[in-house]
């Protein structure tokens, strides 16, 4: 039980920080747009990465740093473009008062963006693969119990964030709130992109 709770705690401590992926999930939750699919992709991706980390893939990442370097530069470019798009939404004249009336984006574009936020983020490899993988070595006899705790934290977090966003909907009946959110998301994307490069 202690091993499971440790895995759960480690998972939450790594995922709770406000990042590009979390901001994207929050926005999709507020728009009520493909929420289940987005949460599922994020949780599944984390599960795969955590499992790879505890089964030794962390050694490969450390031995072949090109994996994280590739993710670093492509991730920074992706975040810069997405941030630019968010700033454009924040400053354009049109308003988006009611999330239920927003025209839904193409599902393939949304899911592709979601996958990019996960797999082009070098911090994901360092956190879920290297860090969780390293910590898991302390639980050699209960490796899979530790992994179950860490994986469960991702599922709880993403689905809580995606579906819990509806409680903020009254605030987002105001177009100014949407513009502030878009601006903050753009800012988060650019800060992370700069951080990746430097």
């Amino acid at each position: 039980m202690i091993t499971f709770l440790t895995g759960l705690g480690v998972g939450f401590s790594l995922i709770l920080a406000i990042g590009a992926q979390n901001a994207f999930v929050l926005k999709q939750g507020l728009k009520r747009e493909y929420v289940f699919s987005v949460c599922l992709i994020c949780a599944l991706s984390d599960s795969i990465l955590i499992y790879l980390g505890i089964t030794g893939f962390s050694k490969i990442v450390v031995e072949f740093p090109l994996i994280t370097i590739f993710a670093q530069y492509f991730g920074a470019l992706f975040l810069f473009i997405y941030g630019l798009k968010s700033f454009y939404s924040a400053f354009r004249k049109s308003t988006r008062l009611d999330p239920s009336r927003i025209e839904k984006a193409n599902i393939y574009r949304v899911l592709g963006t979601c996958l990019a936020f996960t797999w082009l983020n070098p911090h994901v490899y360092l956190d879920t693969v290297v860090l969780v993988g390293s910590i898991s070595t302390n639980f050699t006899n209960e490796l899979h119990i530790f992994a179950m705790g860490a994986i469960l934290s991702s599922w709880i977090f993403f689905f809580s964030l995606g579906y819990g966003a509806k409680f903020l909907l009254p605030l987002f009946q105001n177009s100014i709130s949407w513009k502030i959110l878009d601006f903050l998301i753009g800012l988060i994307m650019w800060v992370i992109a700069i951080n990746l490069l430097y």
Side-chain angles (χ1 to χ4, degrees):
M1 190 64 174
I2 292 173
T3 303
F4 177 81
L5 291 175
T6 304
L8 196 68
V10 167
F12 275 127
S13 67
L14 293 174
I15 206 171
L16 281 173
I18 296 172
Q21 187 186 45
N22 296 351
F24 179 74
V25 174
L26 176 64
K27 188 169 182 180
Q28 292 305 122
L30 286 167
K31 290 166 71 176
R32 293 183 284 189
E33 185 179 75
Y34 311 119
V35 180
F36 180 80
S37 300
V38 165
C39 293
L40 182 66
I41 283 177
C42 291
L44 263 180
S45 297
D46 262 20
S47 301
I48 292 167
L49 287 165
I50 289 168
Y51 182 77
L52 289 174
I54 66 157
T55 54
F57 186 69
S58 56
K59 293 172 186 173
I60 295 172
V61 173
V62 171
E63 208 166 312
F64 298 97
L66 278 176
I67 294 171
T68 51
I69 291 169
F70 173 83
Q72 178 183 352
Y73 287 103
F74 278 89
L77 178 64
F78 172 76
L79 289 171
F80 178 79
I81 293 168
Y82 194 89
L84 201 61
K85 185 182 169 189
S86 292
F87 283 129
Y88 172 76
S89 295
F91 291 108
R92 68 181 179 181
K93 289 182 180 179
S94 60
T95 57
R96 299 184 297 175
L97 295 174
D98 184 356
S100 64
R101 288 152 114 189
I102 299 170
E103 187 179 342
K104 283 200 172 188
N106 182 295
I107 187 168
Y108 299 110
R109 186 181 301 165
V110 171
L111 299 187
T113 302
C114 184
L115 284 166
F117 273 125
T118 301
W119 295 92
L120 287 180
N121 180 3
H123 293 304
V124 166
Y125 295 98
L126 295 173
D127 288 347
T128 59
V129 178
V130 178
L131 192 55
V132 174
S134 301
I135 294 170
S136 70
T137 57
N138 296 312
F139 304 94
T140 314
N141 297 327
E142 298 180 302
L143 207 57
H144 289 90
I145 295 173
F146 175 84
M148 282 169 59
I151 287 170
L152 182 62
S153 68
S154 289
W155 287 81
I156 291 171
F157 176 79
F158 285 118
F159 279 91
S160 297
L161 181 63
Y163 285 100
K166 67 181 179 182
F167 296 110
L168 296 174
L169 279 175
L171 178 67
F172 286 88
Q173 300 301 317
N174 186 334
S175 62
I176 298 297
S177 299
W178 278 106
K179 289 180 180 295
I180 291 170
L181 178 68
D182 279 324
F183 180 81
L184 289 175
I185 288 175
L187 201 60
I188 289 168
M189 302 303 169
W190 278 15
V191 167
I192 295 172
I194 291 166
N195 187 44
L196 287 181
L197 293 174
Y198 300 102

